[in-house]
Amino acid sequence: MTISPQQHSNSPERSSGNVELNGSALTFSGDWTLANYTILARLVEQVQRNNLSNVSLEVSQLGRVDTAGASLLVKLAGSTALVHALRVSDLGTEQTALITTVASAMEATEHPAPKSNPILAFLASTGEKVTAVARLAWLLAGFIGETLATLFYILPRPSRWRFTPFVAAVHDTGLNALPIVALLTFLVGAVVAFLGATVLQDFGATIYTVNLVAFSFLREFGVLLAAILLAGRTASSFTAHIGAMKVNEELDAIRTLGLNPVELLVVPKVLAMMVSLPVLTFVGMISGMIGGAVVCAITLEIPPSQYMAIVERDIGLTHFLVGIGKAPVFAFLIAVIGCLEGFKVSGSAQSVGEHTTSSVVQSIFMVILLDSIAALFFMEMGW
């Protein structure tokens, strides 16, 4: 059976395509182009009414083919059978590549991806997040090792010490942060004292408000509030500084000069943080206890002299040492995370902003996590 375009058009503008069905052979010939699309579409519809199962395709007689004609070929013959016929034919390379590309695109459209199982999707998403956290922990551990190796390398070599960046970082992270740390801890101390007095008043034990404020600030609030403030204020500054240098290719210039960016940029910042945070923690402890003393003096009529006498009598030195001992560890982690996120900047302003936010979130998370672990450890040890 032969179906030709002349049955539908008496005078085609150019040599139109043709399809011939002889027994179990389906032969394509002529030009399958957009100019003949209407005629070819009718031919395809007529041929599709016949049984086309187990037919062989012959495409070697095809002339010019464009995407419109190729889509009709795929619609009639099927993508798999058509691609197989193209492989065994001697059709031109350009026509073969075009028809194969259209067949692949139409096959992907005809067979959409099956709907995923919500449970499997949730498990896959959870696995990806766990993998990302593990990769982040691995990078952080490696960067901590590199920082410590560089630090131990330069400590016995005073000629490699960089005092100017260290002093500048201490001024930025410590002295400039002193007012905000003192103000915040003073206000939190006042709030803790007020809440403690409100609750303990029902039991006639308002005098223990002094113990509550002193105990909480010496062990937890002093170091925790100072560390969180530095995580938001200083870790972001470190990330933005190093990230901007990477965007401007200054880190590449440092390496070209034979210098170590970790020694030049990271070590002074880490040491400055380890000096500044213990000082800020001490200031936070004193300010929080002063805020509690003000509330006790105003609402509970406990004079400052009695307040200090209770602190001296009931609060041991161990609580102060526990709080101040956590400060260098928190400072080291905050500084390392801030610097690492700066080195991870990819080279755009958007990346600088994303990693700056990431450094703040990671620093605060690590500080609270380690503080929780330390609290459980010290409680079990009875310290």
Side-chain angles (χ1 to χ4, degrees), residues 28-67:
F28 299 98
S29 61
D31 296 340
W32 288 66
T33 59
L34 181 61
N36 306 316
Y37 185 83
T38 304
I39 299 172
L40 294 172
R42 294 172 186 170
L43 291 174
V44 170
E45 291 178 0
Q46 292 184 20
V47 175
Q48 283 179 330
R49 296 170 188 169
N50 299 275
N51 184 12
L52 300 180
S53 59
N54 299 323
V55 298
S56 60
L57 303 180
E58 174 58 45
V59 296
S60 58
Q61 300 179 25
L62 282 172
R64 294 190 302 119
V65 181
D66 60 10
T67 53

Side-chain angles (χ1 to χ4, degrees), residues 211-229:
N211 301 65
L212 173 65
V213 173
F215 184 84
S216 60
F217 270 88
L218 288 178
R219 290 186 69 96
E220 300 294 338
F221 284 163
V223 62
L224 195 60
L225 292 175
I228 290 176
L229 279 175

Side-chain angles (χ1 to χ4, degrees), residues 171-182 229-230 233-234 280:
H171 178 269
D172 180 53
T173 61
L175 186 61
N176 291 344
L178 196 61
I180 184 65
V181 171
L229 279 175
L230 283 189
R233 181 183 180 276
T234 307
L280 293 176

Side-chain angles (χ1 to χ4, degrees), residues 143 146 162 242-243 245-266 339-340 342-345:
F143 191 72
E146 184 178 1
R162 300 184 180 276
I242 297 177
M245 294 183 67
K246 187 171 183 180
V247 171
N248 295 330
E249 299 182 354
E250 295 179 37
L251 295 182
D252 296 334
I254 291 174
R255 294 188 180 96
T256 303
L257 293 174
L259 301 175
N260 185 0
V262 175
E263 177 185 344
L264 190 66
L265 301 174
V266 177
C339 294
L340 174 60
F343 282 107
K344 289 166 61 177
V345 171

Side-chain angles (χ1 to χ4, degrees), residues 147-157 160 263:
T147 302
L148 290 176
T150 305
L151 180 61
F152 291 144
Y153 174 76
I154 66 174
L155 279 180
R157 297 171 174 83
R160 303 184 71 93
E263 177 185 344

Side-chain angles (χ1 to χ4, degrees), residues 290-314:
I290 291 176
V294 171
V295 172
C296 289
I298 295 175
T299 62
L300 303 179
E301 297 182 355
I302 300 177
S305 58
Q306 184 180 1
Y307 184 95
M308 291 304 301
I310 295 174
V311 171
E312 182 180 1
R313 183 192 64 196
D314 297 340

Side-chain angles (χ1 to χ4, degrees), residues 215 218-220 314-323 325-326 373-383:
F215 184 84
L218 288 178
R219 290 186 69 96
E220 300 294 338
D314 297 340
I315 307 300
L317 182 62
T318 304
H319 304 306
F320 170 77
L321 296 178
V322 167
K326 292 185 287 187
I373 296 174
L376 293 175
F377 175 77
F378 292 140
M379 181 180 66
E380 292 295 330
M381 296 298 293
W383 294 349

